């Protein structure tokens, strides 16, 4: 059984898999008579046909060490997760290696930050840490098979 250590997420390290969803250092523009910062277009919703939909995932947590045995991807659309609560959470992704996941990476996503997984990116299913949590999820619904799951040899995610 292999293991990986959780690491703090950075835009650079996450760039091959998607974008971070958090206010930038500076707003794109001020709106609403100057009362509101617009941090514009942090990511785009990718979809091959179908519709972009908005859902809430109310998920049970996992705890570290966590054995990841399943990865999945959505070839027809991106999938964005934004935590609605106050906790940091775990995002597991992996590069593609000839149609199967390569070596997984585990990121600690701080409270108040989401991620947008680009279409076709291998990832673990939603993993709040230690406490159940609600997430706003933006992804794609429509014709076609948009969920590919693979079982992997257990990868233990360590603190
Ligand atoms: N299957 C589903 O709706 N959720 C997963 O895609 C996930 O990434 O959690
Ligand atoms: Ni998914």
């Amino acid at each position: 059984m292999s293991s990986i250590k959780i690491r703090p997420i950075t835009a650079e390290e996450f760039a091959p898999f998607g974008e971070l969803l958090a206010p930038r250092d500076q707003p794109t523009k001020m709106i609403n008579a100057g009362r509101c910062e617009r941090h514009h277009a942090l990511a785009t919703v990718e979809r091959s046909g179908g519709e972009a939909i908005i859902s809430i995932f109310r998920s049970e947590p996992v705890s570290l060490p966590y054995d990841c045995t399943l990865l999945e991807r959505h070839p027809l659309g991106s999938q964005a997760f934004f935590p609605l609560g106050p906790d940091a959470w775990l995002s597991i992704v992996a590069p593609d290696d000839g149609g199967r996941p390569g070596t997984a990476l585990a990121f600690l996503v701080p409270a108040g930050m989401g991620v947008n997984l680009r279409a076709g990116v291998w990832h673990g299913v939603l993993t709040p840490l230690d406490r159940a949590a609600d997430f706003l999820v933006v992804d794609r619904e429509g014709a076609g098979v948009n969920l590919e799951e693979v079982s992997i040899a257990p990868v233990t995610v360590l603190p």
Side-chain angles (χ1 to χ4, degrees):
M1 185 182 302
S2 66
S3 63
I4 54 177
K5 280 181 68 66
I6 196 168
R7 66 182 71 190
I9 197 165
T10 66
E12 294 73 25
E13 282 198 85
F14 200 75
F17 309 105
E19 297 85 9
L20 305 188
L21 305 177
R24 299 183 177 103
D25 292 340
Q26 294 298 323
T28 311
K29 57 182 174 180
M30 297 304 294
I31 58 175
N32 301 352
R35 286 191 291 110
C36 179
E37 297 180 356
R38 180 167 179 140
H39 295 262
H40 182 69
L42 298 170
T44 57
V45 178
E46 296 172 309
R47 57 185 173 90
S48 302
E51 298 293 333
I53 59 170
I54 301 172
S55 309
I56 286 179
F57 284 19
R58 176 163 286 176
S59 176
E60 290 304 309
V62 300
S63 298
L64 300 181
Y66 166 64
D67 289 344
C68 178
T69 60
L70 175 71
L71 293 176
E72 61 169 47
R73 64 181 174 180
H74 310 295
L76 303 179
S78 55
Q79 190 173 48
F81 295 91
F82 200 91
L84 301 179
D87 297 321
W89 58 288
L90 170 63
S91 177
I92 298 171
V93 292
D96 185 58
D97 181 7
R100 283 189 59 86
T103 303
L105 298 164
F107 291 102
L108 183 65
V109 189
M113 180 180 287
V115 300
N116 180 59
L117 300 166
R118 279 197 290 278
V121 168
W122 290 109
H123 59 281
V125 296
L126 184 58
T127 40
L129 281 176
D130 301 327
R131 291 196 302 177
D134 288 356
F135 286 72
L136 194 72
V137 178
V138 180
D139 57 7
R140 180 258 188 207
E141 180 164 87
V145 178
N146 193 30
L147 175 60
E148 181 182 356
E149 295 175 311
V150 293
S151 296
I152 61 171
V155 174
T156 301
V157 179
L158 300 170

